[in-house]
Amino acid sequence: KNIYFLSSLPRAGNTLLGSIINDNKNIKCTANSITPFILDNLFKLKEHITFKNFPDHKSLDNLIKNVFEKYYENWNVNVIIDRSVWGTPGNLKFLKHIIKKPKFILLIRPVLECISSFVRLKLEEGADKNAIKNYVYDLMDVHTGLIGKSLWSIENIIKTKQNYKIFYYKDLVNNTDFFLEDFSKYVKV
Protein backbone atom coordinates (compact mmCIF):
# COMPACT_ATOMS: atom_id res chain seq x y z
CA LYS A 1 0.00 0.00 0.00
CA ASN A 2 1.17 3.50 -0.82
CA ILE A 3 0.51 5.97 1.97
CA TYR A 4 0.36 9.72 1.48
CA PHE A 5 -0.07 12.23 4.26
CA LEU A 6 -2.68 14.98 4.01
CA SER A 7 -1.95 18.08 6.02
CA SER A 8 -4.35 20.97 5.57
CA LEU A 9 -6.37 23.61 7.31
CA PRO A 10 -9.76 22.72 8.75
CA ARG A 11 -12.59 23.98 6.51
CA ALA A 12 -10.30 23.65 3.48
CA GLY A 13 -12.26 20.93 1.72
CA ASN A 14 -10.93 17.87 3.54
CA THR A 15 -14.35 16.26 3.92
CA LEU A 16 -15.31 17.05 0.33
CA LEU A 17 -12.03 15.64 -0.97
CA GLY A 18 -12.43 12.52 1.17
CA SER A 19 -15.99 11.99 -0.06
CA ILE A 20 -14.95 12.25 -3.69
CA ILE A 21 -11.88 10.04 -3.56
CA ASN A 22 -13.45 7.45 -1.25
CA ASP A 23 -15.80 6.61 -4.13
CA ASN A 24 -12.79 5.15 -5.93
CA LYS A 25 -12.17 1.50 -4.98
CA ASN A 26 -8.37 1.91 -5.23
CA ILE A 27 -7.90 4.84 -2.85
CA LYS A 28 -9.21 5.84 0.57
CA CYS A 29 -8.81 8.96 2.66
CA THR A 30 -9.08 8.84 6.43
CA ALA A 31 -11.01 11.22 8.61
CA ASN A 32 -8.78 12.88 11.21
CA SER A 33 -6.32 10.08 11.83
CA ILE A 34 -5.30 8.65 15.20
CA THR A 35 -2.04 7.22 13.87
CA PRO A 36 0.06 10.18 15.14
CA PHE A 37 -1.29 9.52 18.65
CA ILE A 38 -0.48 5.82 18.32
CA LEU A 39 3.10 6.66 17.34
CA ASP A 40 3.41 9.24 20.11
CA ASN A 41 2.32 6.69 22.70
CA LEU A 42 4.65 4.00 21.36
CA PHE A 43 7.62 6.38 21.49
CA LYS A 44 6.66 7.45 25.02
CA LEU A 45 6.92 3.82 26.11
CA LYS A 46 10.70 4.18 25.78
CA GLU A 47 10.55 6.57 28.74
CA HIS A 48 8.38 4.27 30.88
CA ILE A 49 10.02 2.74 33.94
CA THR A 50 9.02 -0.80 32.94
CA PHE A 51 10.70 -0.38 29.56
CA LYS A 52 13.78 1.15 31.16
CA ASN A 53 14.13 -1.91 33.42
CA PHE A 54 14.42 -4.12 30.36
CA PRO A 55 14.97 -1.86 27.34
CA ASP A 56 14.20 -3.99 24.29
CA HIS A 57 14.51 -1.28 21.64
CA LYS A 58 14.54 -3.71 18.73
CA SER A 59 11.15 -5.22 19.61
CA LEU A 60 9.49 -1.87 20.26
CA ASP A 61 11.01 -0.44 17.07
CA ASN A 62 9.54 -3.40 15.14
CA LEU A 63 6.12 -2.37 16.40
CA ILE A 64 6.72 1.29 15.56
CA LYS A 65 7.99 0.56 12.04
CA ASN A 66 4.91 -1.53 11.27
CA VAL A 67 2.24 0.81 12.64
CA PHE A 68 0.88 1.79 9.23
CA GLU A 69 1.12 -1.70 7.76
CA LYS A 70 -0.78 -3.20 10.69
CA TYR A 71 -3.23 -0.34 11.19
CA TYR A 72 -4.30 -0.39 7.53
CA GLU A 73 -3.95 -4.14 7.05
CA ASN A 74 -7.68 -4.60 6.35
CA TRP A 75 -7.96 -1.69 3.95
CA ASN A 76 -8.15 -3.36 0.57
CA VAL A 77 -6.89 -0.41 -1.49
CA ASN A 78 -3.70 0.60 -3.29
CA VAL A 79 -3.46 4.14 -1.90
CA ILE A 80 -4.23 5.48 1.56
CA ILE A 81 -4.36 9.18 2.37
CA ASP A 82 -3.74 9.58 6.11
CA ARG A 83 -5.03 12.95 7.30
CA SER A 84 -3.47 14.71 10.28
CA VAL A 85 -1.09 17.49 11.29
CA TRP A 86 1.85 15.39 10.14
CA GLY A 87 4.16 18.35 9.63
CA THR A 88 4.49 19.43 13.26
CA PRO A 89 8.06 18.76 14.36
CA GLY A 90 7.14 15.86 16.67
CA ASN A 91 4.83 14.14 14.19
CA LEU A 92 7.31 14.62 11.35
CA LYS A 93 10.07 13.10 13.49
CA PHE A 94 7.88 10.05 14.24
CA LEU A 95 6.92 9.70 10.60
CA LYS A 96 10.47 9.96 9.28
CA HIS A 97 11.53 7.28 11.75
CA ILE A 98 9.30 4.92 9.76
CA ILE A 99 9.22 6.38 6.23
CA LYS A 100 12.42 8.08 5.10
CA LYS A 101 10.77 10.20 2.37
CA PRO A 102 7.06 10.54 3.13
CA LYS A 103 4.88 12.23 0.52
CA PHE A 104 2.59 15.03 1.61
CA ILE A 105 -0.57 16.50 0.18
CA LEU A 106 -1.17 20.09 1.26
CA LEU A 107 -4.74 21.26 0.73
CA ILE A 108 -4.70 25.05 0.94
CA ARG A 109 -7.48 27.59 1.44
CA PRO A 110 -6.96 31.21 2.53
CA VAL A 111 -6.75 31.32 6.33
CA LEU A 112 -9.28 34.13 6.64
CA GLU A 113 -11.85 32.05 4.73
CA CYS A 114 -11.29 29.14 7.13
CA ILE A 115 -11.62 31.41 10.17
CA SER A 116 -14.76 33.02 8.70
CA SER A 117 -16.32 29.61 8.29
CA PHE A 118 -15.83 28.88 11.99
CA VAL A 119 -17.00 32.35 13.03
CA ARG A 120 -20.23 32.01 11.01
CA LEU A 121 -21.09 28.90 13.00
CA LYS A 122 -20.48 30.73 16.29
CA LEU A 123 -22.63 33.65 15.14
CA GLU A 124 -25.45 31.25 14.30
CA GLU A 125 -25.17 29.92 17.85
CA GLY A 126 -25.61 33.48 19.15
CA ALA A 127 -22.06 34.08 20.41
CA ASP A 128 -21.19 37.67 21.32
CA LYS A 129 -18.20 39.68 20.12
CA ASN A 130 -15.93 38.74 23.06
CA ALA A 131 -16.78 35.04 22.80
CA ILE A 132 -15.94 35.09 19.10
CA LYS A 133 -12.68 36.97 19.75
CA ASN A 134 -11.61 34.35 22.33
CA TYR A 135 -12.73 31.56 20.02
CA VAL A 136 -10.53 32.89 17.19
CA TYR A 137 -7.57 33.18 19.58
CA ASP A 138 -8.13 29.56 20.57
CA LEU A 139 -8.36 28.47 16.91
CA MET A 140 -5.06 30.19 16.14
CA ASP A 141 -3.04 28.76 19.06
CA VAL A 142 -0.04 27.11 17.43
CA HIS A 143 0.05 24.14 19.83
CA THR A 144 -3.63 23.38 20.42
CA GLY A 145 -5.73 25.43 18.00
CA LEU A 146 -7.27 23.72 14.99
CA ILE A 147 -6.03 26.37 12.59
CA GLY A 148 -2.79 27.34 14.34
CA LYS A 149 -1.53 23.78 14.63
CA SER A 150 -2.50 23.05 11.02
CA LEU A 151 -0.64 26.14 9.80
CA TRP A 152 2.40 25.10 11.83
CA SER A 153 2.24 21.66 10.22
CA ILE A 154 1.99 23.01 6.67
CA GLU A 155 4.70 25.63 7.19
CA ASN A 156 7.08 23.06 8.68
CA ILE A 157 6.57 20.65 5.76
CA ILE A 158 7.44 23.44 3.34
CA LYS A 159 10.29 24.90 5.46
CA THR A 160 11.99 21.52 5.94
CA LYS A 161 11.70 20.81 2.20
CA GLN A 162 9.69 17.62 2.46
CA ASN A 163 8.25 15.90 -0.62
CA TYR A 164 4.90 17.70 -1.02
CA LYS A 165 2.42 18.97 -3.56
CA ILE A 166 0.06 21.87 -2.95
CA PHE A 167 -3.57 21.61 -3.99
CA TYR A 168 -6.01 24.48 -3.71
CA TYR A 169 -9.52 24.50 -2.27
CA LYS A 170 -10.68 26.90 -5.00
CA ASP A 171 -9.69 24.32 -7.65
CA LEU A 172 -11.45 21.55 -5.75
CA VAL A 173 -14.76 23.46 -5.73
CA ASN A 174 -14.49 25.44 -8.98
CA ASN A 175 -12.53 23.16 -11.28
CA THR A 176 -13.04 19.71 -9.80
CA ASP A 177 -12.07 17.75 -12.94
CA PHE A 178 -8.73 19.57 -13.19
CA PHE A 179 -8.15 19.11 -9.44
CA LEU A 180 -8.86 15.37 -9.55
CA GLU A 181 -6.69 14.84 -12.63
CA ASP A 182 -3.76 16.63 -10.97
CA PHE A 183 -4.40 14.81 -7.68
CA SER A 184 -4.54 11.41 -9.46
CA LYS A 185 -1.21 12.04 -11.14
CA TYR A 186 0.45 12.85 -7.81
CA VAL A 187 -0.90 9.83 -5.94
CA LYS A 188 -0.57 7.60 -9.01
CA VAL A 189 -4.11 6.24 -9.10
Side-chain angles (χ1 to χ4, degrees), residues 4-17:
Y4 294 80
F5 299 91
L6 173 61
S7 193
S8 65
L9 294 172
R11 306 276 194 222
N14 298 294
T15 303
L16 175 60
L17 176 61

Side-chain angles (χ1 to χ4, degrees), residues 16 32 55 61 65 68 81 99 122 124 138 151 160 169 177:
L16 175 60
N32 287 316
D61 285 343
K65 288 182 180 183
F68 294 112
I81 311 292
I99 302 170
K122 284 293 180 190
E124 289 172 9
D138 289 344
L151 278 172
T160 59
Y169 171 80
D177 290 340

Side-chain angles (χ1 to χ4, degrees), residues 109-117:
R109 182 179 186 187
V111 176
L112 289 178
E113 288 181 22
C114 297
I115 293 170
S116 294
S117 179

Side-chain angles (χ1 to χ4, degrees), residues 1-118:
K1 293 179 172 95
N2 292 316
I3 300 179
Y4 294 80
F5 299 91
L6 173 61
S7 193
S8 65
L9 294 172
R11 306 276 194 222
N14 298 294
T15 303
L16 175 60
L17 176 61
S19 295
I20 292 169
I21 65 175
N22 284 343
D23 279 341
N24 184 322
K25 64 180 180 176
N26 295 316
I27 181 172
K28 294 295 175 225
C29 182
T30 70
N32 287 316
S33 179
I34 65 167
T35 53
F37 301 106
I38 294 169
L39 288 171
D40 182 48
N41 285 315
L42 288 173
F43 276 99
K44 282 180 181 172
L45 286 173
K46 291 187 177 203
E47 301 304 317
H48 195 276
I49 189 144
T50 305
F51 181 83
K52 286 182 174 184
N53 283 335
F54 184 72
D56 184 0
H57 288 277
K58 188 173 183 180
S59 295
L60 186 54
D61 285 343
N62 284 338
L63 227 133
I64 291 168
K65 288 182 180 183
N66 289 292
V67 161
F68 294 112
E69 181 182 330
K70 289 314 223 176
Y71 189 80
Y72 293 116
E73 184 174 47
N74 296 325
W75 291 42
N76 193 22
V77 295
N78 298 330
V79 176
I80 295 168
I81 311 292
D82 189 295
R83 175 181 159 202
S84 191
V85 286
W86 281 110
T88 60
N91 286 346
L92 190 55
K93 179 183 171 188
F94 297 152
L95 187 56
K96 293 192 81 154
H97 187 79
I98 301 167
I99 302 170
K100 296 301 176 208
K101 294 184 180 182
K103 293 182 179 179
F104 296 95
I105 297 162
L106 306 180
L107 184 55
I108 305 295
R109 182 179 186 187
V111 176
L112 289 178
E113 288 181 22
C114 297
I115 293 170
S116 294
S117 179
F118 280 105

